[in-house]
Amino acid sequence: MCIRDRRAGDIIRRMREMISNGSRAFTEERAAQMIRDLEPVVALIGQDTGVVIRIETDDEDDHVLADRIQLQQALTNLIRNAVDAVIDRDDGQVTVTGRALGPEGYEISVRDNGPGIAEAQMDHIFHPMISTKTGGMGLGLSVTRSIVESHGSALAVSRPQGGGACFTFRLSRPTESEIP
């Protein structure tokens, strides 16, 4: 096993241990605010790459149970991946959308207008050590999926009409017993 593989395995193991050992701080959060709090980071990514990144959120009915830091890390990973997918396009765009789903929770998606994900890769992109990027370690989506799953959700990927890729997950509403 090469050093890179061992290092990647260690990173994944530590992240999964951290998530499974409960070293997370789930609190009642405003999903739209968590997303908007990333605007300074998103602005820098857009400025550095020339990619247009839009954030569109429903501010009403956006109370969720989440670990703010982990969730923002997952969103940042998805945004960076989307930017990487469109960076060479003159019209590269990334849209982060948050929308209320009533009692079903709050849905967050990150969509780009890049080339999309090849059908043959759709089932494998969340596995560690799988990367579509040159020089990528293949950890970002694996770690992101672990974070999303620790929130009781699933990270889904789709190929929207019009092209690109869209990663989506839902956050649950807090119940009285879950609010610290």
Side-chain angles (χ1 to χ4, degrees), residues 85 112-118 121-122 158-160 163-165:
D112 65 63
N113 67 338
I117 298 165
Q121 294 177 323
M122 293 287 273
S158 62
R159 297 167 40 128

PDB file of all heavy atoms in Angstrom, residues 85 112-118 121-122 158-160 163-165:
ATOM      1  N   ALA A  85     -15.652  21.712 -11.367  1.00  0.00           N
ATOM      2  CA  ALA A  85     -16.285  21.129 -12.556  1.00  0.00           C
ATOM      3  C   ALA A  85     -16.546  22.166 -13.650  1.00  0.00           C
ATOM      4  O   ALA A  85     -16.650  21.811 -14.821  1.00  0.00           O
ATOM      5  CB  ALA A  85     -17.600  20.445 -12.176  1.00  0.00           C
ATOM      6  N   ASP A 112     -24.230  22.525 -10.548  1.00  0.00           N
ATOM      7  CA  ASP A 112     -23.332  23.230 -11.453  1.00  0.00           C
ATOM      8  C   ASP A 112     -23.786  23.002 -12.890  1.00  0.00           C
ATOM      9  O   ASP A 112     -24.626  22.155 -13.149  1.00  0.00           O
ATOM     10  CB  ASP A 112     -21.875  22.777 -11.261  1.00  0.00           C
ATOM     11  CG  ASP A 112     -21.643  21.329 -11.642  1.00  0.00           C
ATOM     12  OD1 ASP A 112     -21.816  20.977 -12.832  1.00  0.00           O
ATOM     13  OD2 ASP A 112     -21.280  20.532 -10.761  1.00  0.00           O
ATOM     14  N   ASN A 113     -23.220  23.774 -13.804  1.00  0.00           N
ATOM     15  CA  ASN A 113     -23.547  23.609 -15.225  1.00  0.00           C
ATOM     16  C   ASN A 113     -22.356  23.047 -15.998  1.00  0.00           C
ATOM     17  O   ASN A 113     -22.140  23.349 -17.154  1.00  0.00           O
ATOM     18  CB  ASN A 113     -24.031  24.924 -15.843  1.00  0.00           C
ATOM     19  CG  ASN A 113     -22.944  25.988 -15.912  1.00  0.00           C
ATOM     20  OD1 ASN A 113     -21.967  25.941 -15.173  1.00  0.00           O
ATOM     21  ND2 ASN A 113     -23.121  26.955 -16.785  1.00  0.00           N
ATOM     22  N   GLY A 114     -21.583  22.211 -15.318  1.00  0.00           N
ATOM     23  CA  GLY A 114     -20.415  21.581 -15.930  1.00  0.00           C
ATOM     24  C   GLY A 114     -20.789  20.382 -16.781  1.00  0.00           C
ATOM     25  O   GLY A 114     -21.953  20.209 -17.162  1.00  0.00           O
ATOM     26  N   PRO A 115     -19.822  19.529 -17.055  1.00  0.00           N
ATOM     27  CA  PRO A 115     -20.045  18.381 -17.927  1.00  0.00           C
ATOM     28  C   PRO A 115     -20.884  17.278 -17.280  1.00  0.00           C
ATOM     29  O   PRO A 115     -21.336  16.354 -17.960  1.00  0.00           O
ATOM     30  CB  PRO A 115     -18.630  17.884 -18.226  1.00  0.00           C
ATOM     31  CG  PRO A 115     -17.816  18.347 -17.070  1.00  0.00           C
ATOM     32  CD  PRO A 115     -18.435  19.646 -16.628  1.00  0.00           C
ATOM     33  N   GLY A 116     -21.095  17.345 -15.986  1.00  0.00           N
ATOM     34  CA  GLY A 116     -21.852  16.305 -15.299  1.00  0.00           C
ATOM     35  C   GLY A 116     -20.954  15.131 -14.947  1.00  0.00           C
ATOM     36  O   GLY A 116     -19.754  15.136 -15.200  1.00  0.00           O
ATOM     37  N   ILE A 117     -21.550  14.140 -14.377  1.00  0.00           N
ATOM     38  CA  ILE A 117     -20.826  12.942 -13.961  1.00  0.00           C
ATOM     39  C   ILE A 117     -21.215  11.813 -14.903  1.00  0.00           C
ATOM     40  O   ILE A 117     -22.402  11.572 -15.139  1.00  0.00           O
ATOM     41  CB  ILE A 117     -21.168  12.583 -12.507  1.00  0.00           C
ATOM     42  CG1 ILE A 117     -20.729  13.740 -11.604  1.00  0.00           C
ATOM     43  CG2 ILE A 117     -20.503  11.277 -12.093  1.00  0.00           C
ATOM     44  CD1 ILE A 117     -21.301  13.711 -10.233  1.00  0.00           C
ATOM     45  N   ALA A 118     -20.220  11.164 -15.430  1.00  0.00           N
ATOM     46  CA  ALA A 118     -20.466  10.069 -16.363  1.00  0.00           C
ATOM     47  C   ALA A 118     -21.316   9.000 -15.688  1.00  0.00           C
ATOM     48  O   ALA A 118     -21.140   8.704 -14.502  1.00  0.00           O
ATOM     49  CB  ALA A 118     -19.147   9.472 -16.844  1.00  0.00           C
ATOM     50  N   GLN A 121     -19.698   6.407 -13.611  1.00  0.00           N
ATOM     51  CA  GLN A 121     -19.104   6.820 -12.339  1.00  0.00           C
ATOM     52  C   GLN A 121     -20.139   7.094 -11.255  1.00  0.00           C
ATOM     53  O   GLN A 121     -19.772   7.215 -10.084  1.00  0.00           O
ATOM     54  CB  GLN A 121     -18.255   8.070 -12.535  1.00  0.00           C
ATOM     55  CG  GLN A 121     -17.043   7.846 -13.393  1.00  0.00           C
ATOM     56  CD  GLN A 121     -16.282   9.137 -13.608  1.00  0.00           C
ATOM     57  OE1 GLN A 121     -16.876  10.210 -13.751  1.00  0.00           O
ATOM     58  NE2 GLN A 121     -14.960   9.045 -13.634  1.00  0.00           N
ATOM     59  N   MET A 122     -21.396   7.195 -11.621  1.00  0.00           N
ATOM     60  CA  MET A 122     -22.436   7.591 -10.663  1.00  0.00           C
ATOM     61  C   MET A 122     -22.469   6.712  -9.414  1.00  0.00           C
ATOM     62  O   MET A 122     -22.676   7.214  -8.318  1.00  0.00           O
ATOM     63  CB  MET A 122     -23.814   7.602 -11.323  1.00  0.00           C
ATOM     64  CG  MET A 122     -23.980   8.670 -12.375  1.00  0.00           C
ATOM     65  SD  MET A 122     -24.122  10.317 -11.704  1.00  0.00           S
ATOM     66  CE  MET A 122     -25.879  10.388 -11.427  1.00  0.00           C
ATOM     67  N   SER A 158     -27.524  13.714  -8.984  1.00  0.00           N
ATOM     68  CA  SER A 158     -28.345  13.548 -10.182  1.00  0.00           C
ATOM     69  C   SER A 158     -27.711  14.304 -11.339  1.00  0.00           C
ATOM     70  O   SER A 158     -26.826  15.132 -11.153  1.00  0.00           O
ATOM     71  CB  SER A 158     -29.768  14.051  -9.938  1.00  0.00           C
ATOM     72  OG  SER A 158     -29.763  15.438  -9.646  1.00  0.00           O
ATOM     73  N   ARG A 159     -28.190  13.970 -12.520  1.00  0.00           N
ATOM     74  CA  ARG A 159     -27.768  14.646 -13.743  1.00  0.00           C
ATOM     75  C   ARG A 159     -28.991  15.411 -14.255  1.00  0.00           C
ATOM     76  O   ARG A 159     -29.799  14.858 -14.974  1.00  0.00           O
ATOM     77  CB  ARG A 159     -27.292  13.611 -14.755  1.00  0.00           C
ATOM     78  CG  ARG A 159     -26.071  12.847 -14.289  1.00  0.00           C
ATOM     79  CD  ARG A 159     -25.792  11.627 -15.126  1.00  0.00           C
ATOM     80  NE  ARG A 159     -26.016  11.852 -16.536  1.00  0.00           N
ATOM     81  CZ  ARG A 159     -25.142  11.595 -17.495  1.00  0.00           C
ATOM     82  NH1 ARG A 159     -23.991  11.076 -17.186  1.00  0.00           N
ATOM     83  NH2 ARG A 159     -25.427  11.820 -18.738  1.00  0.00           N
ATOM     84  N   PRO A 160     -29.110  16.681 -13.879  1.00  0.00           N
ATOM     85  CA  PRO A 160     -30.296  17.458 -14.249  1.00  0.00           C
ATOM     86  C   PRO A 160     -30.397  17.682 -15.760  1.00  0.00           C
ATOM     87  O   PRO A 160     -29.377  17.668 -16.463  1.00  0.00           O
ATOM     88  CB  PRO A 160     -30.109  18.797 -13.541  1.00  0.00           C
ATOM     89  CG  PRO A 160     -28.876  18.698 -12.739  1.00  0.00           C
ATOM     90  CD  PRO A 160     -28.164  17.453 -13.107  1.00  0.00           C
ATOM     91  N   GLY A 163     -27.829  19.560 -18.225  1.00  0.00           N
ATOM     92  CA  GLY A 163     -26.437  19.246 -17.940  1.00  0.00           C
ATOM     93  C   GLY A 163     -26.006  19.573 -16.537  1.00  0.00           C
ATOM     94  O   GLY A 163     -26.762  20.082 -15.724  1.00  0.00           O
ATOM     95  N   GLY A 164     -24.763  19.264 -16.275  1.00  0.00           N
ATOM     96  CA  GLY A 164     -24.190  19.518 -14.965  1.00  0.00           C
ATOM     97  C   GLY A 164     -24.440  18.384 -14.000  1.00  0.00           C
ATOM     98  O   GLY A 164     -24.820  17.274 -14.371  1.00  0.00           O
ATOM     99  N   ALA A 165     -24.201  18.681 -12.744  1.00  0.00           N
ATOM    100  CA  ALA A 165     -24.424  17.730 -11.660  1.00  0.00           C
ATOM    101  C   ALA A 165     -25.131  18.458 -10.537  1.00  0.00           C
ATOM    102  O   ALA A 165     -24.975  19.669 -10.359  1.00  0.00           O
ATOM    103  CB  ALA A 165     -23.098  17.160 -11.165  1.00  0.00           C
TER     104      ALA A 165
END
